[in-house]
């Protein structure tokens, strides 16, 4: 496990792109040949809502302007964590 400072060093060394204003939502990086930054999409929405944006507008903004913006092989990845297990048995 690495701390945020070490993670930022890895991302800089690998010349990874990062999402401006969302440092608190940065949760890690991919491992392997093509290292990219990884963000928690729900935390990103939370950040925008805390800044005064309506929840639905925050989701739309992230979908259209961030997740939908591919800017090369070092484009960050965005993850939606499972918050509870659902049993379908």
């Amino acid at each position: 496990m690495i701390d945020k400072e070490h993670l930022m060093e890895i991302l800089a060394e690998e010349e990874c792109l990062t999402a401006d204003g969302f440092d608190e939502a940065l949760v890690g990086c991919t491992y392997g040949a093509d290292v990219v930054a990884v963000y928690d999409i729900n935390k990103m929405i939370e950040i925008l809502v805390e800044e005064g944006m309506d929840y639905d507008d925050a989701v739309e903004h992230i979908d259209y302007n961030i997740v939908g913006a591919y800017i090369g092989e070092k484009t960050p990845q965005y993850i939606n964590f499972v918050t509870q297990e659902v049993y379908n048995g």
Side-chain angles (χ1 to χ4, degrees), residues 65-81:
N65 296 302
I66 299 172
V67 175
Y70 178 78
I71 44 181
E73 66 182 31
K74 293 297 184 173
T75 300
Q77 293 290 308
Y78 305 95
I79 190 165
N80 191 355
F81 289 99

Side-chain angles (χ1 to χ4, degrees), residues 26-83:
L26 181 64
V27 294
C29 62
T30 58
Y31 189 78
D34 193 23
V35 176
V36 298
V38 177
Y39 289 86
D40 178 340
I41 196 88
N42 291 308
K43 180 63 178 168
M44 293 175 76
I45 293 167
E46 184 179 307
I47 289 167
L48 291 178
V49 169
E50 287 173 0
E51 292 176 353
M53 192 175 282
D54 173 84
Y55 177 84
D56 291 333
D57 290 339
V59 170
E60 183 178 331
H61 174 79
I62 288 172
D63 283 347
Y64 182 77
N65 296 302
I66 299 172
V67 175
Y70 178 78
I71 44 181
E73 66 182 31
K74 293 297 184 173
T75 300
Q77 293 290 308
Y78 305 95
I79 190 165
N80 191 355
F81 289 99
V82 173
T83 56

